[in-house]
Amino acid sequence: MSVASQAKGQNQEILRVEKLNKSFGTNHVLKDATLTLRKGELKVLIGPSGGGKSTLLQCMNFLIPPDSGRIWLDGVEILGHKKRELYAYRQQVGMIFQDFNLFDHLSALGNVRIALTRVRGMSRKDATDRAMAELDRVGLAAKAGLYPAQLSGGQKQRVSIARALAMDPKVLLLDEPTSALDPELIGEVLAVVKDLATAGMTMIMATHQITFSAQLASEFVFMEQGAIIEHDSPAALLAPGACTRTKAFCAKINELTGEPV
């Protein structure tokens, strides 16, 4: 592949959202949110709790239907009211939740395999082979036969990531994937995210893990009161002398965690 072809691939727009709005009653929780995600990018949503990060991600996957706005995947507009289009779209845009969303009655293997057999129509053998490959990818091949109740929080979250990866998504949406974990378990999930970013997975992640994110993110997207206030590279937003809302917010987190911004 030529250098020009590589550059074109890296600049390829994968997912675009334009002026997404969502209200719950009189509470306008998402206000004209607009962003573009290109191939291989990791964009990180940061900002205070209640700022709209989770709502944006759920609207991007139509788990919560936006009141207005438009979404494109690979240049094709997604019409959320068309069930067949939405079904196909969700197979290409994987979602990782705060609380894992695993089936308690299925083993780790079963949780990863079920969509491959029921959605993709794969044989049980082929689905098992693929599921085991994804569990191995997140370091859990040895835990394949265990049920969620037998797994730690970090292991559950890694199973949910393996489940999403098994569907070969073009994009991963991660909604604060470490927020439900004890501090000692956060690192094992962040290690998987780092491996995915290094491998070129296209992702957008809401998180308060600022130091980790600043090392990997293509862009920080700061949200407050439902709106995107500013967005740029971590280096630009956190630069010495920068008077950004992002830097002020990260400094507050630094006071609590003792980590450098």
Side-chain angles (χ1 to χ4, degrees), residues 114-168:
I114 187 169
L116 294 171
T117 56
R118 295 192 178 182
V119 177
R120 287 288 178 85
M122 293 175 65
S123 70
R124 185 177 177 86
K125 180 185 182 305
D126 288 346
T128 297
D129 290 345
R130 178 59 190 273
M132 285 301 300
E134 295 302 342
L135 286 170
D136 184 60
R137 185 176 179 180
V138 300
L140 288 177
K143 306 291 186 181
L146 299 185
Y147 288 80
Q150 300 170 297
L151 299 172
S152 70
Q155 290 167 343
K156 291 177 188 177
Q157 192 60 286
R158 285 188 281 158
V159 171
S160 72
I161 292 172
R163 178 179 59 187
L165 293 174
M167 299 300 288
D168 292 319

Side-chain angles (χ1 to χ4, degrees), residues 7 10 25 33 38 46 49 56 71 104 118 122 134 136 156 170 181 201-202 209 212 223-224 229 245 255 260:
Q10 291 170 349
R38 301 187 183 280
I46 62 173
S49 296
L56 173 58
I71 298 176
D104 290 335
R118 295 192 178 182
M122 293 175 65
E134 295 302 342
D136 184 60
K156 291 177 188 177
K170 293 181 178 179
L181 303 180
M201 173 62 70
T202 306
Q209 302 295 325
F212 167 82
M223 294 191 69
E224 190 168 34
I229 303 300
R245 182 68 180 91
E255 290 177 9

Side-chain angles (χ1 to χ4, degrees), residues 196-239:
L196 292 175
T198 302
M201 173 62 70
T202 306
M203 296 181 283
I204 181 165
M205 177 173 68
T207 185
H208 289 295
Q209 302 295 325
I210 303 299
T211 302
F212 167 82
S213 301
Q215 298 170 357
L216 291 176
S218 309
E219 184 174 80
F220 274 172
V221 179
F222 189 89
M223 294 191 69
E224 190 168 34
Q225 296 182 352
I228 294 175
I229 303 300
E230 57 193 9
H231 59 93
D232 207 333
S233 69
L237 292 174
L238 302 178

Side-chain angles (χ1 to χ4, degrees), residues 20-254:
L20 290 190
N21 284 272
K22 184 64 185 180
S23 295
F24 297 104
T26 59
N27 188 13
H28 194 178
V29 297
L30 193 62
K31 304 170 183 175
D32 284 336
T34 296
L35 60 82
T36 298
L37 192 62
R38 301 187 183 280
K39 186 176 179 63
E41 282 188 324
L42 167 58
K43 291 198 175 184
V44 173
L45 300 176
I46 62 173
S49 296
K53 302 183 296 295
S54 291
T55 301
L56 173 58
L57 291 176
Q58 291 182 59
C59 283
M60 288 172 68
N61 207 34
F62 292 95
L63 295 171
I64 297 175
D67 297 331
S68 62
R70 304 170 72 185
I71 298 176
W72 291 264
L73 180 68
D74 278 340
V76 177
E77 185 170 5
I78 307 303
L79 303 177
H81 63 279
K82 293 191 175 182
K83 291 185 177 181
R84 183 172 294 181
E85 285 188 20
L86 183 57
Y87 188 67
Y89 172 76
R90 284 179 174 161
Q91 291 184 51
Q92 299 177 82
V93 180
M95 185 89 184
I96 308 299
F97 299 91
Q98 298 176 23
D99 54 0
F100 324 129
N101 280 16
L102 299 179
F103 293 110
D104 290 335
H105 68 288
L106 295 178
S107 65
L109 173 60
N111 267 282
V112 179
R113 182 174 56 198
I114 187 169
L116 294 171
T117 56
R118 295 192 178 182
V119 177
R120 287 288 178 85
M122 293 175 65
S123 70
R124 185 177 177 86
K125 180 185 182 305
D126 288 346
T128 297
D129 290 345
R130 178 59 190 273
M132 285 301 300
E134 295 302 342
L135 286 170
D136 184 60
R137 185 176 179 180
V138 300
L140 288 177
K143 306 291 186 181
L146 299 185
Y147 288 80
Q150 300 170 297
L151 299 172
S152 70
Q155 290 167 343
K156 291 177 188 177
Q157 192 60 286
R158 285 188 281 158
V159 171
S160 72
I161 292 172
R163 178 179 59 187
L165 293 174
M167 299 300 288
D168 292 319
K170 293 181 178 179
V171 177
L172 278 184
L173 311 177
L174 300 99
D175 185 8
E176 300 198 26
T178 62
S179 66
L181 303 180
D182 293 332
E184 63 268 22
L185 299 177
I186 289 173
E188 63 189 63
V189 174
L190 294 182
V192 173
V193 174
K194 182 178 180 179
D195 287 345
L196 292 175
T198 302
M201 173 62 70
T202 306
M203 296 181 283
I204 181 165
M205 177 173 68
T207 185
H208 289 295
Q209 302 295 325
I210 303 299
T211 302
F212 167 82
S213 301
Q215 298 170 357
L216 291 176
S218 309
E219 184 174 80
F220 274 172
V221 179
F222 189 89
M223 294 191 69
E224 190 168 34
Q225 296 182 352
I228 294 175
I229 303 300
E230 57 193 9
H231 59 93
D232 207 333
S233 69
L237 292 174
L238 302 178
C243 297
T244 63
R245 182 68 180 91
T246 300
K247 186 174 183 181
F249 177 79
C250 293
K252 289 291 185 182
I253 292 181
N254 179 47

